[in-house]
Amino acid sequence: MISVATPRFDTGHIGLNVSDLDRSVDFYCRVLGFQQLAASVGAERRWAFLGTGDEPVITLWEQSAGVFSAETPGLHHLSFRVDSIDQVRAVELALRELSVTFAYDGVVAHGEGAASGGIFFSDPDGIRLEIYAPRGAESAPAPSGVAPTCGFF
C-alpha cells in the first residue's frame, strides 16, 4: 500500500441560497465588511460574490423562497472568526442597529470555562451565523453548560 500525505483543505468560499439578493448583499457587506467582487448584471439568474481583496468568501445565489430550515439535514450554521472579543462586540453593535435577533443576549462562551466565544444570530433568510474570537470570553456565560454553545441555538 502506498502512503500518500493527506492534503490540507481550506474553505474556498461558501455558497448560500437567498430569497432577495439585494437585501443579502447589503446585510453581508454592512455586517461583515465584505465588498461585492462580482455580480450578475441584468440576468435572469442573479448572483453575487462577496469577499475581501480579490478573494471571494461568500457567493449568494437568488434561487430560494421562504426561510432557512434548521429542521432538515444540511447546514447547521456558518462561523466567522475574528481576532478579538472587541471585534465581536463591534459586529454585535452593528447588528443591533439593524434590529437583528440574537440566539443569546450578547457574547457567550463556547462552553463552561472556555476562552473562546462569540455572538449567534440569523441573516435575513434565517441562516444561522456565528462571529467568534478564540480568546476573551472567559467571563461570559455558557448557555449550554459544557456542551458546545454553537451546537444548540
Side-chain angles (χ1 to χ4, degrees), residues 20 23 29 43 72 145 153:
D20 182 327
R23 178 183 69 181
C29 288
T72 57
F153 69 98

Side-chain angles (χ1 to χ4, degrees), residues 20-30 36 48 50 60:
D20 182 327
L21 183 66
D22 297 329
R23 178 183 69 181
S24 293
V25 166
D26 180 61
F27 178 83
Y28 283 96
C29 288
R30 287 177 68 181
Q36 183 172 295
L50 308 179
L60 301 174

Side-chain angles (χ1 to χ4, degrees), residues 26-137:
D26 180 61
F27 178 83
Y28 283 96
C29 288
R30 287 177 68 181
V31 171
L32 299 177
F34 293 143
Q35 295 91 38
Q36 183 172 295
L37 305 177
S40 57
V41 178
E44 181 179 311
R45 294 179 168 220
R46 299 188 69 220
W47 54 269
F49 290 177
L50 308 179
T52 56
D54 62 351
E55 192 71 30
V57 176
I58 292 180
T59 59
L60 301 174
W61 309 95
E62 187 179 87
Q63 59 184 1
S64 297
V67 295
F68 175 79
S69 172
E71 303 298 318
T72 57
L75 178 73
H76 183 275
H77 73 286
L78 297 179
S79 176
F80 296 95
R81 178 181 166 162
V82 295
D83 293 329
S84 72
I85 287 294
D86 288 339
Q87 290 172 314
V88 173
R89 289 193 174 105
V91 173
E92 178 187 6
L93 288 175
L95 290 167
R96 291 196 186 280
E97 288 177 9
L98 296 172
S99 299
V100 168
T101 301
F102 292 84
Y104 309 111
D105 188 28
V107 172
V108 295
H110 278 140
E112 288 180 7
S116 63
I119 54 175
F120 300 85
F121 57 98
S122 296
D123 83 349
D125 285 302
I127 298 169
R128 300 184 305 184
L129 303 170
E130 170 188 11
I131 308 290
Y132 84 97
R135 293 170 300 288

